[in-house]
mmCIF file of all heavy atoms in Angstrom:
data_model
loop_
_atom_site.group_PDB
_atom_site.id
_atom_site.type_symbol
_atom_site.label_atom_id
_atom_site.label_comp_id
_atom_site.label_asym_id
_atom_site.label_seq_id
_atom_site.Cartn_x
_atom_site.Cartn_y
_atom_site.Cartn_z
ATOM 1 N N ILE A 1 39.663 -53.588 -1.586
ATOM 2 C CA ILE A 1 38.304 -53.083 -1.781
ATOM 3 C C ILE A 1 37.582 -53.020 -0.441
ATOM 4 O O ILE A 1 36.850 -52.080 -0.145
ATOM 5 C CB ILE A 1 37.540 -53.971 -2.786
ATOM 6 C CG1 ILE A 1 38.182 -53.868 -4.174
ATOM 7 C CG2 ILE A 1 36.065 -53.566 -2.857
ATOM 8 C CD1 ILE A 1 37.592 -54.818 -5.207
ATOM 9 N N GLY A 2 37.804 -54.043 0.387
ATOM 10 C CA GLY A 2 37.212 -54.030 1.724
ATOM 11 C C GLY A 2 37.705 -52.859 2.553
ATOM 12 O O GLY A 2 36.930 -52.220 3.278
ATOM 13 N N HIS A 3 38.990 -52.551 2.458
ATOM 14 C CA HIS A 3 39.553 -51.411 3.181
ATOM 15 C C HIS A 3 38.931 -50.110 2.693
ATOM 16 O O HIS A 3 38.607 -49.227 3.501
ATOM 17 C CB HIS A 3 41.072 -51.379 2.992
ATOM 18 C CG HIS A 3 41.773 -50.363 3.834
ATOM 19 N ND1 HIS A 3 41.891 -49.037 3.451
ATOM 20 C CD2 HIS A 3 42.380 -50.454 5.045
ATOM 21 C CE1 HIS A 3 42.550 -48.371 4.380
ATOM 22 N NE2 HIS A 3 42.853 -49.202 5.359
ATOM 23 N N ALA A 4 38.750 -49.995 1.371
ATOM 24 C CA ALA A 4 38.111 -48.799 0.811
ATOM 25 C C ALA A 4 36.686 -48.656 1.339
ATOM 26 O O ALA A 4 36.216 -47.544 1.615
ATOM 27 C CB ALA A 4 38.111 -48.870 -0.713
ATOM 28 N N ALA A 5 35.990 -49.789 1.486
ATOM 29 C CA ALA A 5 34.630 -49.758 2.028
ATOM 30 C C ALA A 5 34.636 -49.280 3.473
ATOM 31 O O ALA A 5 33.772 -48.502 3.892
ATOM 32 C CB ALA A 5 33.993 -51.141 1.919
ATOM 33 N N CYS A 6 35.620 -49.744 4.258
ATOM 34 C CA CYS A 6 35.747 -49.274 5.645
ATOM 35 C C CYS A 6 35.976 -47.769 5.677
ATOM 36 O O CYS A 6 35.432 -47.069 6.546
ATOM 37 C CB CYS A 6 36.899 -49.993 6.342
ATOM 38 S SG CYS A 6 36.601 -51.728 6.720
ATOM 39 N N MET A 7 36.780 -47.271 4.759
ATOM 40 C CA MET A 7 37.057 -45.835 4.694
ATOM 41 C C MET A 7 35.786 -45.035 4.439
ATOM 42 O O MET A 7 35.663 -43.882 4.864
ATOM 43 C CB MET A 7 38.070 -45.544 3.590
ATOM 44 C CG MET A 7 39.465 -46.086 3.850
ATOM 45 S SD MET A 7 40.389 -45.090 5.045
ATOM 46 C CE MET A 7 40.666 -43.586 4.113
ATOM 47 N N GLN A 8 34.829 -45.650 3.758
ATOM 48 C CA GLN A 8 33.559 -44.985 3.449
ATOM 49 C C GLN A 8 32.522 -45.176 4.554
ATOM 50 O O GLN A 8 31.375 -44.765 4.400
ATOM 51 C CB GLN A 8 33.007 -45.504 2.121
ATOM 52 C CG GLN A 8 33.846 -45.137 0.910
ATOM 53 C CD GLN A 8 33.217 -45.565 -0.391
ATOM 54 O OE1 GLN A 8 32.038 -45.970 -0.432
ATOM 55 N NE2 GLN A 8 33.956 -45.501 -1.477
ATOM 56 N N GLY A 9 32.914 -45.815 5.634
ATOM 57 C CA GLY A 9 31.999 -45.990 6.748
ATOM 58 C C GLY A 9 31.154 -47.243 6.680
ATOM 59 O O GLY A 9 30.197 -47.391 7.440
ATOM 60 N N ARG A 10 31.509 -48.174 5.802
ATOM 61 C CA ARG A 10 30.719 -49.396 5.649
ATOM 62 C C ARG A 10 31.299 -50.524 6.502
ATOM 63 O O ARG A 10 32.499 -50.583 6.749
ATOM 64 C CB ARG A 10 30.678 -49.821 4.173
ATOM 65 C CG ARG A 10 30.089 -48.750 3.260
ATOM 66 C CD ARG A 10 29.987 -49.242 1.828
ATOM 67 N NE ARG A 10 29.534 -48.187 0.926
ATOM 68 C CZ ARG A 10 28.276 -47.834 0.751
ATOM 69 N NH1 ARG A 10 27.330 -48.460 1.438
ATOM 70 N NH2 ARG A 10 27.942 -46.882 -0.081
ATOM 71 N N SER A 11 30.438 -51.426 6.911
ATOM 72 C CA SER A 11 30.863 -52.579 7.705
ATOM 73 C C SER A 11 31.307 -53.700 6.776
ATOM 74 O O SER A 11 30.666 -53.977 5.764
ATOM 75 C CB SER A 11 29.728 -53.055 8.607
ATOM 76 O OG SER A 11 28.560 -53.341 7.846
ATOM 77 N N VAL A 12 32.418 -54.343 7.141
ATOM 78 C CA VAL A 12 33.035 -55.365 6.290
ATOM 79 C C VAL A 12 33.443 -56.554 7.151
ATOM 80 O O VAL A 12 33.835 -56.390 8.314
ATOM 81 C CB VAL A 12 34.279 -54.800 5.559
ATOM 82 C CG1 VAL A 12 34.936 -55.872 4.687
ATOM 83 C CG2 VAL A 12 33.907 -53.583 4.718
ATOM 84 N N LEU A 13 33.360 -57.746 6.582
ATOM 85 C CA LEU A 13 33.867 -58.946 7.246
ATOM 86 C C LEU A 13 34.608 -59.786 6.220
ATOM 87 O O LEU A 13 34.066 -60.123 5.170
ATOM 88 C CB LEU A 13 32.729 -59.763 7.859
ATOM 89 C CG LEU A 13 33.156 -61.048 8.585
ATOM 90 C CD1 LEU A 13 34.068 -60.721 9.767
ATOM 91 C CD2 LEU A 13 31.948 -61.836 9.059
ATOM 92 N N PHE A 14 35.869 -60.095 6.527
ATOM 93 C CA PHE A 14 36.704 -60.923 5.658
ATOM 94 C C PHE A 14 36.975 -62.254 6.349
ATOM 95 O O PHE A 14 37.283 -62.291 7.537
ATOM 96 C CB PHE A 14 38.033 -60.208 5.380
ATOM 97 C CG PHE A 14 39.069 -61.071 4.700
ATOM 98 C CD1 PHE A 14 39.161 -61.100 3.321
ATOM 99 C CD2 PHE A 14 39.948 -61.846 5.441
ATOM 100 C CE1 PHE A 14 40.113 -61.889 2.692
ATOM 101 C CE2 PHE A 14 40.903 -62.647 4.824
ATOM 102 C CZ PHE A 14 40.986 -62.657 3.437
ATOM 103 N N ASP A 15 36.883 -63.359 5.589
ATOM 104 C CA ASP A 15 37.252 -64.652 6.159
ATOM 105 C C ASP A 15 37.446 -65.666 5.045
ATOM 106 O O ASP A 15 36.941 -65.494 3.925
ATOM 107 C CB ASP A 15 36.173 -65.163 7.119
ATOM 108 C CG ASP A 15 36.761 -65.985 8.265
ATOM 109 O OD1 ASP A 15 37.908 -66.459 8.122
ATOM 110 O OD2 ASP A 15 36.083 -66.147 9.293
ATOM 111 N N LYS A 16 38.191 -66.699 5.363
ATOM 112 C CA LYS A 16 38.345 -67.818 4.447
ATOM 113 C C LYS A 16 37.027 -68.590 4.399
ATOM 114 O O LYS A 16 36.378 -68.788 5.428
ATOM 115 C CB LYS A 16 39.466 -68.750 4.910
ATOM 116 C CG LYS A 16 40.834 -68.093 5.019
ATOM 117 C CD LYS A 16 41.375 -67.704 3.668
ATOM 118 C CE LYS A 16 42.782 -67.126 3.778
ATOM 119 N NZ LYS A 16 43.307 -66.673 2.473
ATOM 120 N N THR A 17 36.655 -69.037 3.218
ATOM 121 C CA THR A 17 35.393 -69.765 3.072
ATOM 122 C C THR A 17 35.360 -70.993 3.970
ATOM 123 O O THR A 17 34.331 -71.297 4.587
ATOM 124 C CB THR A 17 35.179 -70.175 1.603
ATOM 125 O OG1 THR A 17 35.232 -69.011 0.769
ATOM 126 C CG2 THR A 17 33.840 -70.857 1.423
ATOM 127 N N ALA A 18 36.472 -71.693 4.068
ATOM 128 C CA ALA A 18 36.521 -72.905 4.891
ATOM 129 C C ALA A 18 36.234 -72.576 6.354
ATOM 130 O O ALA A 18 35.559 -73.347 7.051
ATOM 131 C CB ALA A 18 37.883 -73.579 4.752
ATOM 132 N N ARG A 19 36.741 -71.441 6.841
ATOM 133 C CA ARG A 19 36.504 -71.075 8.243
ATOM 134 C C ARG A 19 35.046 -70.695 8.470
ATOM 135 O O ARG A 19 34.479 -70.991 9.525
ATOM 136 C CB ARG A 19 37.427 -69.930 8.655
ATOM 137 C CG ARG A 19 38.872 -70.339 8.861
ATOM 138 C CD ARG A 19 39.618 -69.369 9.758
ATOM 139 N NE ARG A 19 39.749 -68.059 9.153
ATOM 140 C CZ ARG A 19 40.874 -67.595 8.591
ATOM 141 N NH1 ARG A 19 41.950 -68.371 8.548
ATOM 142 N NH2 ARG A 19 40.923 -66.389 8.085
ATOM 143 N N VAL A 20 34.447 -70.028 7.489
ATOM 144 C CA VAL A 20 33.032 -69.675 7.604
ATOM 145 C C VAL A 20 32.186 -70.940 7.693
ATOM 146 O O VAL A 20 31.288 -71.053 8.548
ATOM 147 C CB VAL A 20 32.579 -68.816 6.401
ATOM 148 C CG1 VAL A 20 31.069 -68.603 6.429
ATOM 149 C CG2 VAL A 20 33.303 -67.472 6.406
ATOM 150 N N LEU A 21 32.459 -71.906 6.837
ATOM 151 C CA LEU A 21 31.689 -73.146 6.841
ATOM 152 C C LEU A 21 31.923 -73.945 8.119
ATOM 153 O O LEU A 21 30.997 -74.563 8.650
ATOM 154 C CB LEU A 21 32.057 -73.984 5.615
ATOM 155 C CG LEU A 21 31.636 -73.384 4.264
ATOM 156 C CD1 LEU A 21 32.143 -74.238 3.113
ATOM 157 C CD2 LEU A 21 30.123 -73.231 4.195
ATOM 158 N N ALA A 22 33.150 -73.917 8.631
ATOM 159 C CA ALA A 22 33.431 -74.605 9.893
ATOM 160 C C ALA A 22 32.676 -73.944 11.043
ATOM 161 O O ALA A 22 32.147 -74.627 11.928
ATOM 162 C CB ALA A 22 34.935 -74.596 10.165
ATOM 163 N N ASP A 23 32.614 -72.625 11.023
ATOM 164 C CA ASP A 23 31.897 -71.893 12.064
ATOM 165 C C ASP A 23 30.410 -72.207 12.022
ATOM 166 O O ASP A 23 29.783 -72.485 13.054
ATOM 167 C CB ASP A 23 32.132 -70.395 11.878
ATOM 168 C CG ASP A 23 31.481 -69.560 12.967
ATOM 169 O OD1 ASP A 23 31.597 -69.936 14.144
ATOM 170 O OD2 ASP A 23 30.855 -68.539 12.630
ATOM 171 N N LEU A 24 29.821 -72.192 10.824
ATOM 172 C CA LEU A 24 28.403 -72.514 10.697
ATOM 173 C C LEU A 24 28.146 -73.978 11.067
ATOM 174 O O LEU A 24 27.125 -74.297 11.681
ATOM 175 C CB LEU A 24 27.925 -72.232 9.268
ATOM 176 C CG LEU A 24 27.900 -70.755 8.851
ATOM 177 C CD1 LEU A 24 27.538 -70.627 7.372
ATOM 178 C CD2 LEU A 24 26.921 -69.970 9.705
ATOM 179 N N GLY A 25 29.072 -74.838 10.690
ATOM 180 C CA GLY A 25 28.925 -76.250 11.036
ATOM 181 C C GLY A 25 28.903 -76.465 12.539
ATOM 182 O O GLY A 25 28.121 -77.274 13.050
ATOM 183 N N ALA A 26 29.740 -75.734 13.269
ATOM 184 C CA ALA A 26 29.755 -75.840 14.731
ATOM 185 C C ALA A 26 28.443 -75.366 15.325
ATOM 186 O O ALA A 26 27.994 -75.864 16.363
ATOM 187 C CB ALA A 26 30.917 -75.027 15.300
ATOM 188 N N GLY A 27 27.796 -74.420 14.634
ATOM 189 C CA GLY A 27 26.509 -73.915 15.111
ATOM 190 C C GLY A 27 25.422 -74.957 15.093
ATOM 191 O O GLY A 27 24.492 -74.914 15.921
ATOM 192 N N HIS A 28 25.515 -75.912 14.165
ATOM 193 C CA HIS A 28 24.536 -77.003 14.144
ATOM 194 C C HIS A 28 24.700 -77.904 15.366
ATOM 195 O O HIS A 28 23.728 -78.493 15.841
ATOM 196 C CB HIS A 28 24.706 -77.833 12.868
ATOM 197 C CG HIS A 28 24.300 -77.126 11.612
ATOM 198 N ND1 HIS A 28 22.984 -76.845 11.303
ATOM 199 C CD2 HIS A 28 25.041 -76.629 10.597
ATOM 200 C CE1 HIS A 28 22.928 -76.216 10.135
ATOM 201 N NE2 HIS A 28 24.161 -76.076 9.688
ATOM 202 N N LEU A 29 25.920 -77.993 15.859
ATOM 203 C CA LEU A 29 26.196 -78.888 16.980
ATOM 204 C C LEU A 29 25.781 -78.304 18.323
ATOM 205 O O LEU A 29 25.347 -79.037 19.214
ATOM 206 C CB LEU A 29 27.691 -79.234 17.009
ATOM 207 C CG LEU A 29 28.238 -79.959 15.773
ATOM 208 C CD1 LEU A 29 29.744 -80.154 15.903
ATOM 209 C CD2 LEU A 29 27.544 -81.304 15.572
ATOM 210 N N ASP A 30 25.925 -76.994 18.482
ATOM 211 C CA ASP A 30 25.623 -76.395 19.791
ATOM 212 C C ASP A 30 24.365 -75.527 19.800
ATOM 213 O O ASP A 30 24.103 -74.816 20.762
ATOM 214 C CB ASP A 30 26.821 -75.585 20.296
ATOM 215 C CG ASP A 30 27.168 -74.402 19.397
ATOM 216 O OD1 ASP A 30 26.377 -74.074 18.489
ATOM 217 O OD2 ASP A 30 28.240 -73.797 19.599
ATOM 218 N N GLY A 31 23.608 -75.582 18.694
ATOM 219 C CA GLY A 31 22.342 -74.856 18.658
ATOM 220 C C GLY A 31 22.472 -73.356 18.438
ATOM 221 O O GLY A 31 21.527 -72.608 18.708
ATOM 222 N N THR A 32 23.625 -72.897 17.935
ATOM 223 C CA THR A 32 23.828 -71.456 17.727
ATOM 224 C C THR A 32 23.905 -71.098 16.242
ATOM 225 O O THR A 32 24.409 -70.042 15.885
ATOM 226 C CB THR A 32 25.129 -70.990 18.408
ATOM 227 O OG1 THR A 32 26.255 -71.685 17.824
ATOM 228 C CG2 THR A 32 25.083 -71.255 19.902
ATOM 229 N N TRP A 33 23.408 -71.975 15.380
ATOM 230 C CA TRP A 33 23.561 -71.773 13.936
ATOM 231 C C TRP A 33 22.952 -70.458 13.469
ATOM 232 O O TRP A 33 23.587 -69.713 12.706
ATOM 233 C CB TRP A 33 22.921 -72.932 13.175
ATOM 234 C CG TRP A 33 23.094 -72.816 11.683
ATOM 235 C CD1 TRP A 33 24.194 -73.184 10.949
ATOM 236 C CD2 TRP A 33 22.152 -72.290 10.748
ATOM 237 N NE1 TRP A 33 23.998 -72.923 9.620
ATOM 238 C CE2 TRP A 33 22.746 -72.368 9.458
ATOM 239 C CE3 TRP A 33 20.873 -71.762 10.865
ATOM 240 C CZ2 TRP A 33 22.099 -71.937 8.308
ATOM 241 C CZ3 TRP A 33 20.219 -71.330 9.715
ATOM 242 C CH2 TRP A 33 20.828 -71.419 8.456
ATOM 243 N N GLU A 34 21.743 -70.147 13.899
ATOM 244 C CA GLU A 34 21.093 -68.925 13.441
ATOM 245 C C GLU A 34 21.849 -67.688 13.892
ATOM 246 O O GLU A 34 21.983 -66.722 13.130
ATOM 247 C CB GLU A 34 19.645 -68.879 13.944
ATOM 248 C CG GLU A 34 18.743 -69.917 13.287
ATOM 249 C CD GLU A 34 17.290 -69.731 13.674
ATOM 250 O OE1 GLU A 34 16.989 -68.797 14.447
ATOM 251 O OE2 GLU A 34 16.458 -70.521 13.210
ATOM 252 N N ARG A 35 22.347 -67.706 15.117
ATOM 253 C CA ARG A 35 23.123 -66.570 15.607
ATOM 254 C C ARG A 35 24.413 -66.412 14.812
ATOM 255 O O ARG A 35 24.802 -65.300 14.449
ATOM 256 C CB ARG A 35 23.450 -66.745 17.090
ATOM 257 C CG ARG A 35 24.337 -65.636 17.662
ATOM 258 C CD ARG A 35 24.565 -65.797 19.149
ATOM 259 N NE ARG A 35 25.221 -67.039 19.495
ATOM 260 C CZ ARG A 35 26.544 -67.234 19.364
ATOM 261 N NH1 ARG A 35 27.313 -66.274 18.885
ATOM 262 N NH2 ARG A 35 27.070 -68.386 19.714
ATOM 263 N N ARG A 36 25.070 -67.519 14.528
ATOM 264 C CA ARG A 36 26.309 -67.466 13.753
ATOM 265 C C ARG A 36 26.038 -66.993 12.322
ATOM 266 O O ARG A 36 26.824 -66.227 11.765
ATOM 267 C CB ARG A 36 26.976 -68.842 13.728
ATOM 268 C CG ARG A 36 27.503 -69.292 15.094
ATOM 269 C CD ARG A 36 28.038 -70.718 15.026
ATOM 270 N NE ARG A 36 28.352 -71.251 16.331
ATOM 271 C CZ ARG A 36 29.577 -71.610 16.729
ATOM 272 N NH1 ARG A 36 30.604 -71.459 15.920
ATOM 273 N NH2 ARG A 36 29.772 -72.105 17.940
ATOM 274 N N LEU A 37 24.929 -67.440 11.739
ATOM 275 C CA LEU A 37 24.593 -67.016 10.382
ATOM 276 C C LEU A 37 24.369 -65.507 10.332
ATOM 277 O O LEU A 37 24.807 -64.837 9.381
ATOM 278 C CB LEU A 37 23.349 -67.750 9.892
ATOM 279 C CG LEU A 37 22.870 -67.367 8.479
ATOM 280 C CD1 LEU A 37 23.918 -67.749 7.436
ATOM 281 C CD2 LEU A 37 21.527 -68.022 8.163
ATOM 282 N N ARG A 38 23.703 -64.968 11.334
ATOM 283 C CA ARG A 38 23.428 -63.523 11.350
ATOM 284 C C ARG A 38 24.713 -62.705 11.322
ATOM 285 O O ARG A 38 24.740 -61.600 10.791
ATOM 286 C CB ARG A 38 22.597 -63.152 12.585
ATOM 287 C CG ARG A 38 21.142 -63.553 12.482
ATOM 288 C CD ARG A 38 20.305 -62.829 13.531
ATOM 289 N NE ARG A 38 20.689 -63.196 14.890
ATOM 290 C CZ ARG A 38 20.178 -64.214 15.559
ATOM 291 N NH1 ARG A 38 19.247 -64.979 14.995
ATOM 292 N NH2 ARG A 38 20.559 -64.482 16.805
ATOM 293 N N ARG A 39 25.767 -63.263 11.894
ATOM 294 C CA ARG A 39 27.053 -62.557 11.888
ATOM 295 C C ARG A 39 27.546 -62.320 10.463
ATOM 296 O O ARG A 39 28.204 -61.308 10.181
ATOM 297 C CB ARG A 39 28.085 -63.381 12.666
ATOM 298 C CG ARG A 39 29.481 -62.789 12.681
ATOM 299 C CD ARG A 39 30.384 -63.538 13.645
ATOM 300 N NE ARG A 39 31.741 -63.049 13.581
ATOM 301 C CZ ARG A 39 32.701 -63.554 12.802
ATOM 302 N NH1 ARG A 39 32.414 -64.596 12.029
ATOM 303 N NH2 ARG A 39 33.909 -63.049 12.787
ATOM 304 N N TYR A 40 27.234 -63.239 9.558
ATOM 305 C CA TYR A 40 27.666 -63.113 8.168
ATOM 306 C C TYR A 40 26.638 -62.391 7.295
ATOM 307 O O TYR A 40 26.917 -62.095 6.134
ATOM 308 C CB TYR A 40 27.959 -64.495 7.577
ATOM 309 C CG TYR A 40 29.023 -65.237 8.339
ATOM 310 C CD1 TYR A 40 28.683 -66.301 9.183
ATOM 311 C CD2 TYR A 40 30.355 -64.865 8.255
ATOM 312 C CE1 TYR A 40 29.657 -66.977 9.908
ATOM 313 C CE2 TYR A 40 31.333 -65.534 8.985
ATOM 314 C CZ TYR A 40 30.979 -66.589 9.806
ATOM 315 O OH TYR A 40 31.949 -67.252 10.537
ATOM 316 N N LEU A 41 25.485 -62.114 7.852
ATOM 317 C CA LEU A 41 24.443 -61.428 7.090
ATOM 318 C C LEU A 41 24.409 -59.932 7.371
ATOM 319 O O LEU A 41 23.946 -59.154 6.534
ATOM 320 C CB LEU A 41 23.066 -62.029 7.412
ATOM 321 C CG LEU A 41 22.872 -63.502 7.078
ATOM 322 C CD1 LEU A 41 21.445 -63.933 7.433
ATOM 323 C CD2 LEU A 41 23.164 -63.784 5.609
ATOM 324 N N SER A 42 24.896 -59.508 8.522
ATOM 325 C CA SER A 42 24.751 -58.109 8.912
ATOM 326 C C SER A 42 25.702 -57.132 8.224
ATOM 327 O O SER A 42 25.319 -55.986 7.980
ATOM 328 C CB SER A 42 24.880 -57.973 10.430
ATOM 329 O OG SER A 42 26.133 -58.470 10.870
ATOM 330 N N PRO A 43 26.962 -57.502 7.876
ATOM 331 C CA PRO A 43 27.859 -56.509 7.271
ATOM 332 C C PRO A 43 27.385 -56.050 5.892
ATOM 333 O O PRO A 43 26.699 -56.781 5.167
ATOM 334 C CB PRO A 43 29.198 -57.246 7.168
ATOM 335 C CG PRO A 43 29.106 -58.360 8.152
ATOM 336 C CD PRO A 43 27.670 -58.770 8.138
ATOM 337 N N ASP A 44 27.789 -54.833 5.532
ATOM 338 C CA ASP A 44 27.495 -54.331 4.186
ATOM 339 C C ASP A 44 28.229 -55.143 3.129
ATOM 340 O O ASP A 44 27.734 -55.334 2.024
ATOM 341 C CB ASP A 44 27.915 -52.857 4.070
ATOM 342 C CG ASP A 44 27.173 -51.964 5.039
ATOM 343 O OD1 ASP A 44 25.943 -52.142 5.180
ATOM 344 O OD2 ASP A 44 27.803 -51.091 5.665
ATOM 345 N N LEU A 45 29.427 -55.616 3.488
ATOM 346 C CA LEU A 45 30.242 -56.401 2.558
ATOM 347 C C LEU A 45 30.869 -57.577 3.285
ATOM 348 O O LEU A 45 31.492 -57.402 4.331
ATOM 349 C CB LEU A 45 31.352 -55.520 1.952
ATOM 350 C CG LEU A 45 32.395 -56.235 1.078
ATOM 351 C CD1 LEU A 45 31.749 -56.811 -0.182
ATOM 352 C CD2 LEU A 45 33.534 -55.289 0.713
ATOM 353 N N VAL A 46 30.701 -58.767 2.722
ATOM 354 C CA VAL A 46 31.364 -59.967 3.229
ATOM 355 C C VAL A 46 32.307 -60.473 2.138
ATOM 356 O O VAL A 46 31.923 -60.561 0.969
ATOM 357 C CB VAL A 46 30.353 -61.066 3.607
ATOM 358 C CG1 VAL A 46 31.059 -62.408 3.806
ATOM 359 C CG2 VAL A 46 29.613 -60.676 4.874
ATOM 360 N N ILE A 47 33.543 -60.785 2.517
ATOM 361 C CA ILE A 47 34.537 -61.298 1.572
ATOM 362 C C ILE A 47 34.807 -62.756 1.901
ATOM 363 O O ILE A 47 35.288 -63.077 2.998
ATOM 364 C CB ILE A 47 35.848 -60.490 1.645
ATOM 365 C CG1 ILE A 47 35.573 -59.016 1.357
ATOM 366 C CG2 ILE A 47 36.873 -61.049 0.662
ATOM 367 C CD1 ILE A 47 36.767 -58.099 1.583
#
């Protein structure tokens, strides 16, 4: 479904939930949490 969305010109981001949470968790440690969160908010579709 994500590939079909890419074919239609939409932005997509796929990731394992555990990796997303680890990435956001690291943002709390180095002060980049808001920037990291925006990465998961901007795509048309997040998997």
Side-chain angles (χ1 to χ4, degrees):
I1 294 174
H3 188 276
C6 289
M7 293 283 291
Q8 294 185 11
R10 301 184 185 278
S11 56
V12 179
L13 180 62
F14 170 91
D15 212 341
K16 300 292 184 183
T17 304
R19 286 202 294 257
V20 173
L21 293 176
D23 183 44
L24 292 174
H28 290 289
L29 299 176
D30 63 11
T32 61
W33 182 82
E34 291 187 0
R35 176 176 61 79
R36 293 175 189 243
L37 179 64
R38 285 196 296 271
R39 177 171 175 267
Y40 301 105
L41 299 181
S42 58
D44 299 317
L45 173 65
V46 166
I47 302 172

